[in-house]
Amino acid sequence: MSDIKKPGLKLGFGLMRLPKLEDGSINVEDFKVMVDKFLEAGGTYFDTAYVYPGSEEATKKALVERHPRESYTLASKLAVFADSVKDEASAKQEIYTSLERTGAGYFDFYLLHAIQRGNYQTYEDYHLWDYVKELKAKGLIKHYGFSFHGDPELLEELLTRHPDAEFVQLQVNYADWENPGVQARRNWEICQKHGKPIVVMEPVKGGILADPVAPVKALFDAENTGMSYPSWAVRFVASKEGLLVVLSGMSSIGQMEDNLSYMKDFKPLSEHEEEVIAKAQEAFNSVKKIPCTGCSYCTKGCPMGIPIPDIFTVENRKEGSPEFRTRREYVIVTQDKGKASDCLQCGQCESVCPQHLPIIELLEKCRWMEA
Ligand code: SF4
Ligand code: SF4
């Protein structure tokens, strides 16, 4: 079993979707307030990555330069799909850039990022599993693991081949628990079988469960608890056995306050609340929406510059909205960019999508907004 120390709170601060200013840059002043509130409440776990634009630099300003290094733990990640990676050497360079950007001196947690069928062999070919061991021996990282977006069979294979991995980061939320495209429950069980602590990402499914479909809202509203929709999602995960920490990608001071309101003195879901969630899972599955989390991994390499997640957001919001409004939103998000109909069907986007979405087919279905 791993010697990883449990963090102060079961809630971790995911640094992928930081607050933004109007010009699109990170709002460092709000980020500072959020960092302070999180630490004051007893939180310790922060999670950034080499490929989160501006996140590591902002973390330096809001966290590293303002708080004693031993008062928090910081995770970052090495991605073979980063733009800068051309070969093994450039992949191995990432940690040095991450250390320079953050000024953190070392990472408490270091992950091979977003492993799935389409990329796991590259992590092997570049000898990155050995590399993280070397980094640990050098004292540049304290613990290594990997974040995972693949199927249970691949997870089993990885944990068998690399039994020294100290923890696993999984996408888990109530909507994906039994989702055949994610298989969160089976992946969870495999990690437990191998004795690996689990870090959870996307507990609110990229924001989808913060504003869930109407039948799910109705179920939670009927409970009359005064608790937010995200609280149901985060507490569902935090109640699971084997969890190390659940990351919430908080984008505003309000979201931080809401998360802390139920995670500071965390109480697991009651039996009745578990039943409500079970009904919410059924209700979620009965309404078809595109389960895109907005991570944007697909857009970087799109030769036509198609704003794929933005198009899916517009499509998902069409329910209850007049058609002309949906079309107008579509025109706005695709202005000066590629349209759904420009897709060349090259498949680049599908090869990197952590949600394994059939993007080409889905874009076909979104073309009605252009007519
Ligand atoms: S398949 Fe279409 S949307 Fe995907 S990367 Fe290629 S052109 Fe872009
Ligand atoms: S389509 Fe897939 S890769 Fe693209 S933003 Fe959505 S979840 Fe991410």
Side-chain angles (χ1 to χ4, degrees):
M1 194 64 189
S2 150
D3 63 345
I4 295 176
K5 217 173 124 219
K6 293 244 174 202
L9 290 185
K10 281 191 177 200
L11 179 71
F13 191 169
L15 308 174
M16 183 186 184
R17 300 180 178 91
L18 290 169
K20 294 269 172 70
L21 293 166
E22 267 175 25
D23 66 2
S25 62
I26 291 172
N27 183 338
V28 177
E29 291 313 307
D30 274 13
F31 182 22
K32 285 179 185 171
V33 174
M34 292 164 77
V35 163
D36 294 353
K37 282 181 182 288
F38 182 67
L39 289 169
E40 269 163 37
T44 51
Y45 195 106
F46 292 82
D47 174 86
T48 184
Y50 179 82
V51 294
Y52 299 166
S55 172
E56 290 184 322
E57 293 86 343
T59 299
K60 179 178 190 176
K61 291 185 196 146
L63 174 68
V64 178
E65 289 179 347
R66 301 176 56 250
H67 293 279
R69 183 65 186 86
E70 64 283 2
S71 65
Y72 60 87
T73 62
L74 183 60
S76 192
K77 312 186 190 79
L78 188 166
V80 293
F81 51 87
D83 289 343
S84 61
V85 173
K86 310 282 178 256
D87 51 22
E88 182 172 333
S90 49
K92 289 181 170 176
Q93 179 55 35
E94 277 184 39
I95 184 163
Y96 294 101
T97 305
S98 293
L99 286 169
E100 196 186 318
R101 286 176 182 167
T102 57
Y106 62 91
F107 291 115
D108 303 270
F109 299 91
Y110 199 60
L111 297 90
L112 300 181
H113 197 167
I115 297 189
Q116 52 188 295
R117 285 267 165 211
N119 64 23
Y120 82 99
Q121 194 55 46
T122 311
Y123 285 98
E124 304 281 346
D125 294 347
Y126 288 177
H127 309 104
L128 296 173
W129 293 93
D130 290 333
Y131 185 55
V132 286
K133 272 180 236 174
E134 286 167 30
L135 293 173
K136 183 169 174 172
K138 282 185 188 161
L140 293 178
I141 63 175
K142 291 203 187 287
H143 301 289
Y144 57 85
F146 59 101
S147 62
F148 185 73
H149 284 287
D151 54 88
E153 290 70 29
L154 179 61
L155 181 58
E156 180 69 49
E157 186 184 327
L158 288 174
L159 287 174
T160 304
R161 202 184 303 168
H162 304 289
D164 48 299
E166 295 173 84
F167 63 99
V168 182
Q169 185 161 314
L170 292 178
Q171 172 174 328
V172 182
N173 53 66
Y174 68 77
D176 288 328
W177 192 240
E178 299 289 354
N179 173 358
V182 178
Q183 307 215 40
R185 180 180 55 76
R186 281 191 60 208
N187 284 342
W188 189 285
E189 288 166 1
I190 288 170
C191 287
Q192 287 221 283
K193 187 182 86 179
H194 287 265
K196 304 298 174 194
I198 301 163
V199 176
V200 167
M201 58 185 155
E202 305 290 7
V204 191
K205 206 167 166 55
I208 292 172
L209 305 182
D211 183 22
V213 290
V216 173
K217 278 185 183 158
L219 277 165
F220 293 149
D221 290 349
E223 292 303 304
N224 226 349
T225 58
M227 301 287 282
S228 65
Y229 301 127
S231 76
W232 287 91
V234 175
R235 287 179 63 230
F236 168 78
V237 173
S239 300
K240 300 256 167 255
E241 196 66 32
L243 177 83
L244 181 66
V245 71
V246 47
L247 302 174
S248 179
M250 295 170 264
S251 307
S252 68
I253 297 170
Q255 284 176 10
M256 170 65 76
E257 286 170 345
D258 180 59
N259 274 340
L260 289 175
S261 71
Y262 50 85
M263 291 304 291
K264 195 172 165 196
D265 297 305
F266 173 70
K267 289 190 185 50
L269 292 178
S270 66
E271 215 171 293
H272 172 69
E273 287 171 326
E274 293 274 8
E275 284 163 18
V276 175
I277 292 272
K279 286 188 194 145
Q281 286 168 323
E282 271 174 42
F284 187 89
N285 293 333
S286 68
V287 179
K288 288 275 167 269
K289 279 206 176 192
I290 302 172
C292 165
T293 62
C295 67
S296 292
Y297 292 164
C298 55
T299 52
K300 270 189 270 168
C302 174
M304 302 308 286
I306 300 171
I308 300 164
D310 296 339
I311 291 176
F312 290 166
T313 302
V314 175
E315 170 71 14
N316 280 343
R317 295 216 173 126
K318 72 178 180 195
E319 192 193 343
S321 182
E323 207 173 293
F324 78 90
R325 257 195 216 145
T326 305
R327 288 180 197 274
R328 198 165 60 196
E329 285 179 25
Y330 179 84
V331 169
I332 292 169
V333 301
T334 57
Q335 205 166 22
D336 304 325
K337 295 182 182 148
K339 314 273 182 284
S341 58
D342 293 326
C343 175
L344 304 172
Q345 310 201 342
C346 66
Q348 177 284 144
C349 52
E350 293 189 0
S351 70
V352 296
C353 175
Q355 309 305 319
H356 311 294
L357 299 181
I359 296 174
I360 297 170
E361 189 190 319
L362 291 168
L363 283 175
E364 279 278 327
K365 289 191 180 138
C366 292
R367 286 173 66 163
W368 71 270
M369 292 184 277
E370 292 173 20

